[in-house]
Amino acid sequence: MMGRIICAGLGPGDPDLISVRADRAVRAARHVAYFRKPGRPGQARRIVQGMLTADAVEYPMEYPVTTEIPFDHPDYNDALAGFYDLWAARLAQLAQTDDVVVLCEGDPFLYGSFMHLQVRLQGLAQVEVIPGIPGMVGCWNAVGQPMTWGDDVLTVLMGTLPEADLIRHMQGSDALVVMKTGRNLPKLRRALAASGRLADTWLIERGTMPGQRIQPLREVADDDCPYFAILLVHGHGRRPMARVAE
């Protein structure tokens, strides 16, 4: 009997923000896979702490490389390509006889690692993806301000982009989400200053999770930003306003 590979989007980090559908899949799972750095418990695994059955078999998928070498180095590509090839084959083999639940922070199809498995699993196994609340959504709700208004254009940027590209996109958008901060923070600060957006930028670390931190970026030092943080610049666009009598 063929099983399925079910990727459960877990939302931004707070277990209360997991969808009912993902919650059911996780609690019923007999085989559970999740990404993590070597020696770390893994953010996705932490989110479901206490939800797995006692006899669930766990498969930690440990990245061979994260930030140790530049992402555009050939060795980086080769290491991750081999990693995804290996785990796609292993998960497809497991799914020959049973369902396998793969845990994913945020939404699996929005910059999620599972996407690299999903494209490799085509034709090898039945794949089902359960949507999750994206991490950036949890972060801008944690700030407590509307992210976009009316005709605002929202742009999502990666901190790994060249500085000139960052400035160009920042100048052309109303609202900004910047991911992959960490060691890129000095470059991001310069780009935000050059585009006139620095004063309006928020840094959200571990949004909706224990240890959440929300600060204006101007109050954060360049060496005080983990990789797991997002920068936000809110839009201020069109909205209905009462007319003022002349």
Side-chain angles (χ1 to χ4, degrees):
M1 180 177 177
M2 292 287 291
R4 298 166 297 167
I5 296 172
I6 305 170
C7 182
L10 302 179
D14 184 342
D16 287 343
L17 298 178
I18 299 175
S19 71
V20 173
R21 185 174 167 193
D23 182 279
R24 288 173 179 163
V26 170
R27 293 184 187 277
R30 296 176 56 189
H31 302 274
V32 181
Y34 49 89
F35 296 98
R36 74 180 187 186
K37 291 183 179 181
R40 303 281 186 89
Q43 289 289 349
R45 178 62 180 83
R46 183 197 63 76
I47 294 171
V48 303
Q49 183 65 31
M51 294 174 59
L52 303 182
T53 63
D55 59 347
V57 181
E58 300 187 31
Y59 304 87
M61 301 182 288
E62 297 190 337
Y63 294 111
V65 62
T66 50
T67 60
E68 296 82 5
I69 58 177
F71 73 93
D72 54 355
H73 193 285
D75 290 347
Y76 182 95
N77 179 78
D78 292 345
L80 282 181
F83 166 75
Y84 290 124
D85 288 345
L86 171 65
W87 275 105
R90 291 191 64 180
L91 294 175
Q93 183 63 37
L94 287 169
Q96 291 292 316
T97 55
D98 207 345
D99 288 349
V100 183
V101 173
V102 181
L103 308 178
C104 180
E105 304 157 62
D107 181 80
F109 282 164
L110 187 67
Y111 303 110
S113 293
F114 181 76
M115 294 185 296
H116 302 288
L117 295 178
Q118 190 258 353
V119 297
R120 289 167 166 81
L121 288 167
Q122 301 306 302
L124 298 179
Q126 180 181 346
V127 178
E128 177 183 329
V129 176
I130 303 175
I133 298 173
M136 66 183 73
V137 176
C139 287
W140 68 55
N141 275 274
V143 176
Q145 296 182 24
M147 192 63 195
T148 52
W149 296 82
D151 304 319
D152 278 340
V153 174
L154 170 66
T155 297
V156 181
L157 298 171
M158 298 297 113
T160 49
L161 286 169
E163 190 167 335
D165 290 347
L166 289 168
I167 295 172
R168 175 169 55 85
H169 288 297
M170 289 172 178
Q171 290 175 332
S173 296
D174 303 299
L176 299 169
V177 174
V178 186
M179 303 171 65
K180 298 184 179 179
T181 51
R183 65 180 64 180
N184 298 303
L185 189 58
K187 175 179 63 174
L188 292 170
R189 193 188 301 274
R190 293 193 303 269
L192 287 160
S195 60
R197 316 302 297 272
L198 181 58
D200 299 321
T201 303
W202 292 84
L203 181 142
I204 299 87
E205 175 188 349
R206 302 179 66 83
T208 80
M209 306 179 197
Q212 173 180 280
R213 178 175 61 150
I214 302 172
Q215 281 186 273
L217 179 59
R218 62 181 180 273
E219 299 177 3
V220 179
D222 283 346
D223 60 354
D224 186 25
C225 179
Y227 185 80
F228 204 73
I230 283 179
L231 303 181
L232 299 179
V233 179
H234 296 76
H236 299 282
R238 174 178 54 80
R239 67 196 81 173
M241 301 290 288
R243 294 187 179 184
V244 178
E246 296 182 358

